[in-house]
Amino acid sequence: APLNAAPRWTVSKLNELPATIATDGLLDMELLEVAEARELQRHTGEDPSERSTRHLELKLPDGMSYETGDHLSVLALNSRRVVERMLHLLGRTGNHVVTLSTSSAAGAPVPTNVPITVRDLLRRYLDLQAPATRMALSTIVERAGDSAPSELRLLAVADDATFTENITLRRRSISDLLEDCGRPPFTLED
C-alpha cells in the first residue's frame, strides 16, 4: 500500500517512563499446549508460496471450549535478545509507553486504546522473527530512499520466486532488513 494512504495503526502518547513500569494482562489470555503443528503452504517447486500457514491442534484446559467460528490468537513470546535488538534498531529503550488505535478491526491481536510499554508490545504481541512480508520490505525501502541497499531495492520489485528465495526461505525478518539499511528508515512514531 502506498505510504500516503491512511495509516492502519496510530501510535500516540509516546512518553518514557521508569523501567519499573510494565503492563501485563491486557488481553484475556491462557497458555495452551500444542498437540500438533504442521506447515500447510508449499515453499518449493512450482509456484511456491511466500506465506506460512500452519495447522495447529491445541489442548484446551478444563472449562474452556472452542466452537467453529470462535476466534483464537496465537502469540509467541519473543526472547529478550530479539526484543532488545529491535529496540536498538528503533532507537528506543523500551520504557516508552504508547497507545495504539486503529480504524480497522483487522490486524494483529494487540491491545488497543490502552497504554503499553514498547518493550511489552514487542515481547508479547508481535512476531519479530517471522520472515518479512513484501509490504514490509517495500515500506522499508520506500522510507530509506537512496540509502536503502541496492539488494533490498531489487528484492522489493523482484518476482515472487526471487522474493521467496531471498526473504521467506532465508527467514529474513524486519529486524534483519532494518539492520541491512544501517539506520532505521523511520521512527516508531511513523
Side-chain angles (χ1 to χ4, degrees), residues 7 9 22 28 40 64 66 87 95-96 121-122 128 134 136 159:
W9 292 96
D28 186 21
L40 298 178
M64 182 182 280
Y66 180 87
L87 288 169
N95 299 330
H96 288 84
L121 178 67
L122 294 176
L128 299 180
R134 186 179 294 274
D159 60 79

Side-chain angles (χ1 to χ4, degrees), residues 103-121:
S103 58
S104 168
V110 298
T112 56
N113 303 315
V114 294
I116 184 171
T117 63
V118 173
R119 178 175 282 106
D120 201 32
L121 178 67

Side-chain angles (χ1 to χ4, degrees), residues 85-99:
R85 177 184 182 209
M86 181 59 91
L87 288 169
H88 174 75
L89 290 167
L90 293 173
R92 295 289 172 197
T93 66
N95 299 330
H96 288 84
V97 174
V98 296
T99 302

